């Protein structure tokens, strides 16, 4: 298979538009770090929300979904669907707080929440740990997907794929800063979602599939269709109960950080105001969970008929390295059936998915390296011009190293599980540190170190010692339990931060709840009034909004599935639930915003 002239024209036109946006945005991006990393804090909610969706619409995401569906059925997607709860918590509790903090990066949070050399150390260490090491791991999984797509659809070698896909991304990311990334994200997402839907429709009508009805009635597909696995199976516990009960609040994962963080908080910090930050995050969660999954799922199901096992994939693509043959390869394999024109559009959309994710991670990681490490510890007096230059250079370095690491990975689900394990047990701390004054710098250090050591043990040491392999879900639970016990214990055994540090944080953020009642009373008794004019807000109403929003989006997600499955009664039930949830949500939210308790 090869691209025809019209396909190449589409792909080249896409590259030209992306570069043009980067060049346009470069006029303002080079002025300062705030312009380069936060677009001058002047972005509207709809553009930020779509940018968040585009960033999580990576070239490896459909591969991951295909891997999951082929192994565990549609219900297997609960390993990431459960993160909706985290996302909605961010919408109704944390978006305001991040925007109110006025930091340039979320790592600056450490030096407004904690004090002394410990806070400075943690900020610098996390800048390298997350912005460099962890970020490179995430981008490597995206590069791995690009390698597989390039091999299947274009017959390119790993190096050729990474060189071509990365070059344009690095150019417009380094030139245009976050503004260029966000504007390009909008264009890329529209292309990607449109092409994916068109590809799903075409694939369903392939002779091997014979339409949606034949697909759903196929003997190999019907066992895979359940949205929630049967309660009497082991799969129910591993892919539904654990994610929905434990994983969403306990695990740190890029794009789904409990309490917000990473490139999600970067988008919130670049919003015009708190209102735009909230609406942007709400739009992101709606699009990410309710709208996007089904085209990928349908293509994944169709792939089971065309490529029933790994041997069939190897036979269909004999030139591909056997080490990278896995279920996630089935997604690009199905795209090889697309006709001229649509194939070019789909290739462009996959390049767009790759570029939107990589560009966001490059800009975000560079912000940590330059603002939170170089400027903070090496050269605090560096000029804005030099800082922007180093931001652009670090962007290039991150891309090169990510591409190199991608060659050592074999499949997307493997990397996903490694990342989950590294962040296991830290999520609860990220949620509570805004609401419990007792959490201190030692809590943060303990959670970070213990979660990493547990992950290293399970992923490297345990197997090499000759012990029996432990299932990934058990590893996750043990990681959560061990890390949580350690950091909570350290919190209770050590002193809280100094009162002055806590007072300053309270005046800036004004966190509600009993976790700050002691500090609130001391601040009022000493100073008589709050320095900040930020309005108080209600945790209870925020949590109610979170639950109602989650029910509404899950209902839309399930309702779409029931509509595709031609289960009309269940579709109507979920439609009613979604409508009622949305009505209640906006009623409670109105009270929430007006301060009526």
């Amino acid at each position: 298979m090869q691209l025809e002239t019209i396909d190449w024209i589409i792909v080249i036109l896409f590259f030209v538009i992306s570069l043009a946006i980067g060049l346009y945005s470069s006029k303002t991006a080079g002025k300062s770090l705030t312009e380069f990393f936060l677009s001058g804090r002047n972005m509207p909610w709809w553009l930020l929300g779509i940018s968040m969706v585009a960033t999580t619409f990576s070239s490896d995401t459909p591969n991951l979904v295909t891997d999951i569906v082929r192994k565990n059925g549609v219900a297997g997607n609960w390993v990431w669907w459960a993160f909706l709860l985290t996302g909605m918590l961010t919408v109704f509790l944390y978006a305001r707080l991040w925007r109110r903090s006025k930091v340039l990066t979320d790592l600056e949070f450490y030096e407004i929440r904690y004090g002394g050399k410990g806070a400075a150390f943690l900020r610098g260490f996390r800048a390298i740990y997350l912005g460099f090491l962890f970020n490179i791991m995430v981008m490597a999984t995206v590069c791995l997907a690009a390698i597989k797509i390039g091999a299947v659809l274009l017959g390119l070698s790993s190096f050729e794929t990474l060189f071509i896909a990365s070059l344009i991304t690095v150019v417009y990311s380094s030139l245009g800063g976050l503004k260029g990334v966000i504007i390009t994200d909008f264009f890329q997402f529209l292309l990607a979602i449109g092409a994916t839907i068109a590809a799903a429709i075409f694939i369903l009508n392939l002779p091997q599939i014979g339409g949606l009805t034949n697909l759903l009635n196929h003997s190999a597909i019907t066992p895979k269709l359940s949205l929630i696995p049967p309660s009497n199976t082991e799969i129910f516990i591993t892919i539904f109960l654990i994610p929905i009960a434990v994983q969403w609040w306990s695990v740190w994962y890029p794009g789904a950080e409990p309490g917000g963080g990473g490139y999600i908080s970067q988008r919130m910090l670049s919003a015009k105001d708190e209102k735009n930050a909230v609406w942007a995050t709400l739009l992101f969660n709606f699009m990410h969970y309710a709208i996007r999954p089904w085209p990928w799922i349908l293509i994944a199901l169709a792939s089971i008929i065309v490529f029933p096992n790994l041997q069939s994939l190897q036979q269909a693509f004999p030139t591909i390295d056997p080490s990278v043959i896995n279920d996630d390869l089935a997604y690009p394999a199905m795209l090889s059936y697309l006709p001229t024109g649509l194939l070019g559009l789909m290739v462009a959309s996959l390049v767009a998915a790759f570029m939107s994710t990589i560009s966001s991670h490059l800009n975000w990681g560079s912000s940590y390296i330059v603002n939170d490490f170089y400027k903070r510890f090496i050269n605090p007096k560096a000029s804005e011009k030099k800082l922007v230059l180093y931001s652009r250079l670090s962007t290039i370095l991150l891309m090169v190293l990510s591409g190199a690491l991608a060659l050592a990975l074999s499949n997307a689900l493997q990397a996903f599980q490694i990342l989950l394990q590294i962040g296991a047990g830290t999520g609860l701390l990220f949620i509570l540190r805004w609401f419990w004054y007792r959490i201190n710098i030692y809590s943060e250090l303990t959670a970070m170190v213990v979660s990493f050591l547990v992950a290293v043990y399970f992923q490297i040491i345990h197997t090499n010692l000759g012990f029996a392999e432990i299932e990934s879900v058990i590893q996750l639970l043990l990681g959560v339990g061990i890390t949580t016990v350690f950091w909570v214990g350290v919190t209770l055994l050590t002193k809280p931060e100094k009162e002055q540090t806590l007072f300053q944080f309270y005046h800036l953020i004004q966190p509600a709840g009993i976790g700050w009642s002691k500090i609130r009373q001391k601040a009022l008794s000493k100073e008589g009034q709050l320095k900040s004019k930020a309005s108080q807000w209600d945790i209870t109403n925020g949590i109610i909004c979170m639950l109602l929003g989650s029910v509404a989006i899950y209902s839309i997600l399930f309702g779409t599935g029931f509509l595709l499955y031609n289960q009309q009664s269940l579709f109507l039930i979920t439609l009613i639930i979604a409508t009622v949830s949305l009505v209640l949500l906006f009623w409670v939210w109105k009270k929430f915003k007006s301060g009526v308790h």
Side-chain angles (χ1 to χ4, degrees):
M1 182 202 66
Q2 65 181 38
L3 271 65
E4 302 295 337
T5 302
I6 184 63
D7 297 316
W8 283 113
I9 291 174
I10 292 171
V11 173
I12 293 172
L13 182 61
F14 163 76
F15 282 140
V16 170
I17 294 174
S18 298
L19 275 175
I21 294 173
L23 290 170
Y24 166 77
S25 304
S26 66
K27 297 178 181 179
T28 57
K31 292 181 179 179
S32 66
L33 278 190
T34 301
E35 285 289 346
F36 193 83
F37 291 128
L38 293 183
S39 305
R41 300 188 193 270
N42 197 36
M43 288 287 104
W45 66 273
W46 56 272
L47 200 53
L48 290 173
I50 294 299
S51 177
M52 293 179 192
V53 185
T55 298
T56 54
F57 191 161
S58 166
S59 55
D60 69 318
T61 312
N63 290 24
L64 172 63
V65 170
T66 301
D67 200 343
I68 290 170
V69 171
R70 287 172 64 90
K71 284 183 171 69
N72 296 317
V74 176
N77 286 285
W78 277 103
V79 296
W80 67 277
W81 284 349
F83 283 125
L84 170 64
L85 299 173
T86 304
M88 298 306 286
L89 194 66
T90 300
V91 171
F92 295 109
L93 289 183
Y94 295 100
R96 285 179 171 86
L97 304 185
W98 279 114
R99 187 61 182 81
R100 195 176 295 169
S101 70
K102 299 178 181 179
V103 294
L104 180 67
T105 70
D106 58 314
L107 293 188
E108 287 186 23
F109 171 87
Y110 292 116
E111 291 196 277
I112 64 172
R113 175 62 176 84
Y114 313 113
K117 294 182 179 179
F121 166 79
L122 188 58
R123 178 182 174 184
F125 180 82
R126 297 280 286 185
I128 300 301
Y129 175 65
L130 293 180
F132 190 75
L133 300 176
F134 202 88
N135 192 33
I136 287 173
M137 169 67 85
V138 175
M139 288 194 292
T141 66
V142 182
C143 291
L144 172 65
I147 289 172
K148 296 189 177 186
I149 291 169
V152 172
L153 297 181
L154 304 175
L156 298 175
S157 68
S158 299
F159 177 79
E160 290 171 334
T161 298
L162 291 178
F163 180 78
I164 295 171
S166 303
L167 182 62
I168 304 296
T169 309
V170 169
V171 170
Y172 82 75
S173 299
S174 59
L175 286 176
L178 185 63
K179 183 177 181 180
V181 171
I182 289 174
I183 296 174
T184 310
D185 279 349
F186 184 80
F187 157 67
Q188 291 172 344
F189 175 74
L190 296 180
L191 172 65
I193 193 67
T196 303
I197 293 172
I201 293 172
F202 181 86
I203 287 172
L204 288 176
N205 289 287
L206 287 172
Q208 301 95 313
I209 308 301
L212 179 60
T213 301
N214 285 340
L215 173 70
L216 299 178
N217 291 324
H218 194 282
S219 59
I221 302 302
T222 50
K224 304 281 189 179
L225 296 178
S226 176
L227 298 178
I228 298 177
S231 59
N232 61 344
T233 65
E234 181 181 348
I235 294 179
F236 176 82
I237 297 175
T238 59
I239 68 176
F240 175 73
L241 187 60
I242 298 301
I244 204 71
V246 178
Q247 181 178 296
W248 71 270
W249 57 263
S250 63
V251 174
W252 185 99
Y253 185 77
E257 298 91 339
Y263 55 78
I264 297 299
S265 67
Q266 185 186 32
R267 299 306 191 275
M268 293 186 286
L269 291 167
S270 65
K272 290 181 178 180
D273 49 35
E274 291 179 18
K275 180 180 178 181
N276 276 272
V278 172
W279 276 101
T281 319
L282 181 60
L283 175 62
F284 158 60
N285 282 280
F286 174 74
M287 297 295 293
H288 182 57
Y289 294 99
I291 302 300
R292 267 195 335 200
W294 282 106
W296 297 334
I297 291 172
L298 292 175
I299 294 174
L301 292 171
S303 75
I304 298 173
I305 297 175
V306 181
F307 302 105
N309 50 47
L310 299 185
Q311 288 74 23
S312 61
L313 282 169
Q314 181 68 75
Q315 291 171 3
F317 304 97
T319 60
I320 295 180
D321 186 347
S323 67
V324 300
I325 297 290
N326 210 297
D327 284 309
D328 59 345
L329 189 71
Y331 184 81
M334 291 303 297
L335 300 184
S336 66
Y337 287 90
L338 297 180
T340 299
L342 181 54
L343 177 61
L345 192 64
M346 195 64 203
V347 170
S349 75
L350 290 171
V351 174
F354 171 85
M355 290 169 63
S356 62
T357 301
I358 290 295
S359 61
S360 290
H361 277 275
L362 290 174
N363 188 271
W364 165 56
S366 179
S367 72
Y368 282 9
I369 294 170
V370 175
N371 182 69
D372 296 298
F373 187 78
Y374 177 77
K375 180 184 177 182
R376 174 64 180 82
F377 298 102
I378 298 178
N379 191 1
K381 297 181 180 180
S383 66
E384 292 291 331
K385 184 178 181 180
K386 177 178 285 189
L387 292 172
V388 171
L389 173 62
Y390 284 178
S391 299
R392 288 169 169 159
L393 292 175
S394 63
T395 296
I396 298 172
L397 177 63
L398 288 171
M399 187 70 256
V400 171
L401 294 177
S402 300
L405 180 60
L407 302 176
L409 298 174
S410 62
N411 72 83
L413 188 57
Q414 169 201 16
F416 178 78
Q417 290 171 341
I418 291 173
L419 293 176
L420 287 182
Q421 187 65 54
I422 291 175
T426 60
L428 186 61
L429 181 143
F430 294 135
I431 290 174
L432 293 182
R433 64 187 183 179
W434 297 86
F435 301 110
W436 186 22
Y437 84 97
R438 287 286 282 111
I439 290 177
N440 57 36
I441 195 66
Y442 301 108
S443 312
E444 293 266 5
L445 289 169
T446 301
M448 180 179 65
V449 172
V450 173
S451 66
F452 181 78
L453 291 178
V454 171
V456 168
Y457 173 78
F458 284 132
Q459 297 298 324
I460 300 176
I461 299 175
H462 183 84
T463 304
N464 290 335
L465 289 177
F467 296 127
E469 185 177 352
I470 301 176
E471 292 184 19
S472 59
V473 66
I474 302 299
Q475 292 181 23
L476 181 70
L477 289 175
L478 287 173
V480 170
I482 293 170
T483 303
T484 302
V485 167
F486 267 88
W487 78 254
V488 171
V490 168
T491 301
L492 297 175
L493 292 172
T494 54
K495 295 180 179 180
E497 296 296 323
K498 294 180 180 179
E499 283 191 351
Q500 187 59 37
T501 301
L502 297 174
F503 287 166
Q504 290 174 353
F505 181 78
Y506 183 79
H507 286 315
L508 179 63
I509 305 299
Q510 289 199 16
I514 60 174
W516 283 86
S517 57
K518 183 177 180 179
I519 301 301
R520 185 185 306 116
Q521 293 302 319
K522 285 188 176 182
L524 290 173
S525 64
K526 285 188 175 183
E527 303 177 28
Q529 62 180 357
L530 293 174
K531 294 178 182 178
S532 174
K533 296 182 180 179
S535 60
Q536 282 285 358
W537 45 280
D538 185 348
I539 293 179
T540 302
N541 279 346
I543 293 176
I544 292 173
C545 286
M546 165 210 165
L547 295 174
L548 289 171
S550 299
V551 170
I553 291 178
Y554 279 138
S555 297
I556 296 171
L557 172 67
F558 291 172
T560 304
F562 292 138
L563 184 62
L564 292 170
Y565 292 175
N566 198 30
Q567 298 177 352
Q568 300 298 331
S569 58
L570 290 175
F571 166 69
L572 290 175
I573 291 172
T574 53
L575 180 62
I576 292 171
I577 294 173
T579 302
V580 172
S581 299
L582 287 172
V583 170
L584 291 173
L585 169 62
F586 285 106
W587 178 71
V588 176
W589 196 9
K590 185 177 180 180
K591 290 177 59 180
F592 183 20
K593 292 188 294 183
S594 64
V596 177
H597 306 305

